[in-house]
């Protein structure tokens, strides 16, 4: 029992360390390569940037981010649950601290990369790597991540695609920021910035989906172990996935064996491996990608039924 608690604690520690790494990647990508070029991106960072420019750079981006994140966390508590809220508090606090600590420096010096295109591409890649890393380890930085997580609870829309829709709307608000000049000058100034913002969204949404599996591909495990009961119980309890137990026979040994079959999301496969290894490092495991798994806990069958002809 003590070993199980220790393994569970170490897994949580690894997750929080990697979430922190993801938060740092996102903060660096945003503050060092995007914000210095006065470009608005999506998410709470983008909303914070809008407020930052609307107040003539008086309200820091990190302050707006954290304030709005608190509101979203309170709104999504009942749907997302206590565990999600705990990691969201950690992520939202961490991202605000990291951005708040370095945004003042990077906005007070010339951009590290003067070329806007190269700078925003690199910033978008770092942001995507950061978001993807956070999600892989069951974390969130808050903001539109909360919206994406809420949508993923009730639909099959990918996280990256959901983020793209929400974030493109935020970037579009750049056009309505305070501006000295006529409509033609506003268009010439704002439209390129909006396009750059949309390019960044596409980049980090694509990288995010690449990391956490765009098509939500499932994984099938076939497990042989003498400690199959404990493995099955742990998968049920810790991974919250169902286990099917089959009877089998080793033809060489002629011994009766129990076979465990488990289906899970690809991003959950590492958790299954951890459970198996902690119980029986000598277990025989087969892992394979599955094109689709439909039913409770997975995807919904979206098939239109033929209408019955009336006699």
């Amino acid at each position: 029992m003590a070993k199980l608690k220790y393994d569970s604690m170490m897994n949580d520690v690894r997750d929080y360390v990697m979430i922190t790494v993801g938060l740092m990647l996102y903060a660096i990508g945003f503050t060092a390569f995007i914000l210095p070029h006065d470009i608005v991106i999506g998410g709470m960072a983008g909303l914070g940037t809008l407020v930052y420019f609307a107040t003539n750079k008086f309200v820091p981006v990190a302050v707006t981010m954290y304030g709005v994140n608190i509101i979203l966390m309170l709104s999504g508590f009942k749907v997302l649950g206590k565990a999600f809220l705990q990691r969201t508090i950690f992520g939202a606090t961490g991202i605000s601290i990291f951005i708040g600590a370095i945004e003042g420096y990077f906005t007070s010096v010339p951009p590290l990369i003067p070329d806007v295109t190269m700078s925003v591409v690199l910033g978008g890649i770092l942001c995507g790597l950061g978001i993807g890393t956070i999600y892989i380890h069951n974390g969130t930085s808050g903001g539109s991540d909360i919206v994406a997580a809420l949508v993923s609870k009730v639909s099959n829309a990918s996280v990256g695609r959901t983020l793209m829709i929400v974030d493109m709307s935020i970037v579009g608000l750049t056009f309505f920021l305070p501006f000295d000049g006529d409509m033609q000058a506003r268009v010439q100034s704002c439209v390129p910035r909006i396009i750059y913002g949309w390019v960044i969204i596409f980049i980090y949404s694509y990288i995010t989906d690449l990391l956490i599996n765009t098509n939500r591909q499932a994984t099938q495990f076939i497990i042989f172990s003498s400690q199959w009961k404990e493995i099955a119980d742990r998968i049920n309890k810790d991974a919250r996935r169902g286990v099917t137990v089959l009877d089998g026979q080793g033809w060489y040994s002629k011994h009766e064996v129990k076979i465990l079959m488990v289906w899970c999301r690809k991003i959950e496969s590492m958790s299954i491996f951890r459970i198996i290894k902690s119980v029986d490092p000598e277990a025989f495991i087969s892992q394979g990608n599955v094109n689709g798994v439909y039913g409770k806990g997975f995807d919904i069958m979206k098939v239109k039924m033929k209408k019955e002809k009336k006699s």
Side-chain angles (χ1 to χ4, degrees), residues 225-278:
S225 172
S226 59
Q227 302 180 56
W228 60 273
K229 288 185 179 180
E230 188 175 354
I231 292 175
D233 289 339
R234 288 283 306 281
I235 291 175
N236 279 163
K237 181 180 178 181
D238 298 343
R240 296 185 181 278
R241 282 298 179 188
V243 181
T244 300
V245 182
L246 305 176
D247 291 319
Q249 183 184 58
W251 193 246
Y252 178 78
S253 65
K254 301 298 188 293
H255 290 162
E256 300 295 327
V257 296
K258 294 293 186 180
I259 306 167
L260 304 182
M261 294 189 67
V262 181
W263 290 271
C264 66
R265 295 294 184 193
K266 192 170 184 179
I267 60 175
E268 298 171 323
S269 59
M270 188 56 65
S271 297
I272 303 295
F273 273 118
R274 288 173 178 171
I275 291 170
I276 299 170
K277 185 176 180 180
S278 66

Side-chain angles (χ1 to χ4, degrees), residues 62-72 96:
V63 172
T64 302
M65 287 180 65
Y66 200 61
V68 177
N69 272 325
I70 290 175
I71 297 174
L72 287 174
S96 296

Side-chain angles (χ1 to χ4, degrees), residues 49-57 173-181 186 189-190 193:
T49 305
L50 287 173
V51 175
Y52 179 67
F53 290 137
T55 58
N56 196 25
K57 301 183 178 181
L173 295 175
T174 301
F175 190 82
F176 302 100
L177 287 171
F179 181 81
D180 294 329
R186 177 185 287 272
S189 174
C190 294
R193 293 166 61 192

Side-chain angles (χ1 to χ4, degrees), residues 126-234:
L126 288 175
C127 287
L129 290 173
I131 296 172
T133 301
I134 293 166
Y135 262 90
I136 286 173
H137 293 275
N138 304 312
T140 171
S141 61
S144 53
D145 290 355
I146 299 176
V147 177
L150 286 168
V151 171
S152 68
K153 290 284 185 178
V154 297
S155 76
N156 295 320
S158 71
V159 173
R161 192 173 297 113
T162 304
L163 287 173
M164 184 179 291
I165 295 172
V166 174
D167 295 351
M168 286 184 72
S169 302
I170 293 175
V171 173
L173 295 175
T174 301
F175 190 82
F176 302 100
L177 287 171
F179 181 81
D180 294 329
D182 57 18
M183 181 58 69
Q184 183 177 357
R186 177 185 287 272
V187 170
Q188 292 176 343
S189 174
C190 294
V191 169
R193 293 166 61 192
I194 292 174
I195 293 174
Y196 273 123
W198 284 345
V199 169
I200 295 169
I201 290 172
F202 174 80
I203 292 172
Y204 71 61
S205 296
Y206 175 77
I207 297 296
T208 299
D209 269 1
L210 195 65
L211 289 179
I212 65 175
N213 196 24
T214 305
N215 62 355
R216 299 167 65 87
Q217 191 176 49
T219 298
Q220 175 182 274
F221 284 93
I222 299 177
I223 308 163
F224 298 82
S225 172
S226 59
Q227 302 180 56
W228 60 273
K229 288 185 179 180
E230 188 175 354
I231 292 175
D233 289 339
R234 288 283 306 281

Side-chain angles (χ1 to χ4, degrees), residues 151-152 154-158 161 216 265 293-295 298-306:
V151 171
S152 68
V154 297
S155 76
N156 295 320
S158 71
R161 192 173 297 113
R216 299 167 65 87
R265 295 294 184 193
V293 177
Y294 303 93
F298 290 92
D299 297 331
I300 300 173
M301 289 186 288
K302 296 182 178 180
V303 179
K304 292 184 177 179
M305 301 298 293
K306 291 183 179 180

